[in-house]
Amino acid sequence: MAEVQLSVVIITYNEQRNIGKCIDAIKSIADDIVVIDSFSKDDTLIIAKEKGARVIQHLFQGHIEQKNFAITQAKFPHILSLDADEMPDEIFLTQIKQIKQDWQCDGYSVNRLNNYCGKWIYHGAWYPDVKLRLWDSRKGKWSGTNPHDRYQMTEGSAIKHLPGKILHYSYQSIDEHKKKSDYFSSIAANAYLAKGKKSSWFKIIMSPIFRFTRDYIFKKGFLDGKYGWIIATITANEVAMKYKKLYSLQCTTTG
């Protein structure tokens, strides 16, 4: 069997901090590297081109929409999809090299390990954080609710979980996390509204309490020390903001 040719697709916006390291990390397994950029204002494009990637600029209409567009720009149907702040560890890279020689399943999942303010997070809702990122693109598409996308494979597809990890360098500061959380809550509120989902004062009050309890206590986020507390707190606040913003949108559209 001939070796499978692999496209690595990466979506970017103002990712000059990460894109070079991301591309360097996957050069050994990529036969095609395509960066779909939503009109970055920093040096993302320059760095990506210098590193040998094909760069295509495309208006951002949502995480799901952008990632599905990225698939259409790949040269090969077999794809590894990454964000610019992600990279495979050595074990996962070795697995990909072996799979290229003998591609047996429709898709392959792997754990993602998140780095938060310089600390690896091994508990709470952030680990093992299983991601389906290596697949035959003819067997599925991106779905979910923005900004939380997931790759949905066609019914009956064979999926295998691999050893190794995707290393995710998420936030360098707590303030950066808070700002992104506010941004994500706005996207989620609008996505919920478009899908006809409803908010209420019960959801605004109880949903963040449930999320914090689940992540910090039942999923043992407390074992990650102060950052476990901070992550669970900001995540719970994001849930509250999402339902508050959705409630406001409901009042605007009905009033």
Side-chain angles (χ1 to χ4, degrees):
M1 181 183 293
E3 179 176 310
V4 165
Q5 301 290 285
L6 184 70
S7 287
V8 179
V9 298
I10 308 164
I11 67 168
T12 59
Y13 178 70
N14 290 346
E15 287 286 358
Q16 66 178 18
R17 183 174 78 192
N18 298 305
I19 189 60
K21 292 180 289 185
C22 178
I23 293 173
D24 285 342
I26 50 84
K27 280 185 174 179
S28 65
I29 50 94
D31 302 290
D32 169 45
I33 303 172
V34 58
V35 170
I36 307 300
D37 182 78
S38 47
F39 298 92
S40 289
K41 296 177 174 62
D42 62 4
D43 290 334
T44 297
L45 275 67
I46 295 171
I47 297 169
K49 289 176 180 177
E50 287 178 347
K51 295 290 184 179
R54 290 188 295 117
V55 177
I56 299 168
Q57 289 190 297
H58 185 258
L59 182 66
F60 186 84
Q61 296 177 320
H63 293 81
I64 295 166
E65 294 80 4
Q66 195 79 339
K67 289 187 176 183
N68 276 323
F69 173 78
I71 292 172
T72 69
Q73 303 305 303
K75 288 184 178 179
F76 308 111
H78 295 91
I79 288 175
L80 172 66
S81 178
L82 294 172
D83 292 335
D85 57 1
E86 298 175 335
M87 58 190 71
D89 70 359
E90 289 300 322
I91 296 174
F92 187 32
L93 283 173
T94 299
Q95 291 291 314
I96 295 172
K97 290 174 184 177
Q98 294 173 356
I99 289 167
K100 287 181 66 178
Q101 299 293 331
D102 184 20
W103 191 288
Q104 295 184 350
C105 296
D106 300 309
Y108 297 88
S109 63
V110 67
N111 292 344
R112 184 171 73 166
L113 178 62
N114 295 277
N115 188 289
Y116 186 82
C117 300
K119 176 181 172 62
W120 294 109
I121 303 300
Y122 286 96
H123 306 90
W126 281 20
Y127 193 79
D129 197 17
V130 177
K131 298 296 181 184
L132 181 63
R133 294 294 187 81
L134 181 66
W135 19 257
D136 182 340
S137 63
R138 295 165 294 192
K139 301 292 184 67
K141 65 179 181 179
W142 286 99
S143 63
T145 301
N146 281 320
H148 303 294
D149 50 60
R150 61 184 177 85
Y151 198 77
Q152 183 69 48
M153 304 212 70
T154 55
E155 187 175 353
S157 295
I159 300 171
K160 180 179 180 181
H161 188 72
L162 298 173
K165 298 178 181 68
I166 291 175
L167 304 177
H168 181 213
Y169 294 86
S170 60
Y171 302 109
Q172 289 191 337
S173 70
I174 296 169
D175 186 59
E176 182 184 344
H177 186 192
K178 288 180 178 178
K179 289 178 180 177
K180 185 59 72 72
S181 178
D182 182 46
Y183 169 68
F184 280 163
S185 68
S186 296
I187 294 175
N190 281 281
Y192 274 23
L193 183 71
K195 289 189 172 185
K197 294 189 176 182
K198 300 294 184 181
S199 180
S200 65
W201 282 108
F202 180 82
K203 289 182 178 179
I204 292 170
I205 295 169
M206 296 307 299
S207 293
I209 294 173
F210 170 79
R211 179 61 60 86
F212 180 86
T213 303
R214 187 198 72 176
D215 293 357
Y216 190 69
I217 298 176
F218 291 106
K219 292 196 172 185
K220 301 180 180 179
F222 62 87
L223 292 176
D224 288 307
K226 73 171 184 177
Y227 287 131
W229 170 270
I230 291 167
I231 291 168
T233 301
I234 293 176
T235 301
N237 186 59
E238 181 179 330
V239 172
M241 287 193 294
K242 174 181 68 179
Y243 283 114
K244 284 179 182 178
K245 291 174 182 179
L246 178 58
Y247 191 84
S248 179
L249 289 169
Q250 287 172 199
C251 293
T252 301
T253 55
T254 58

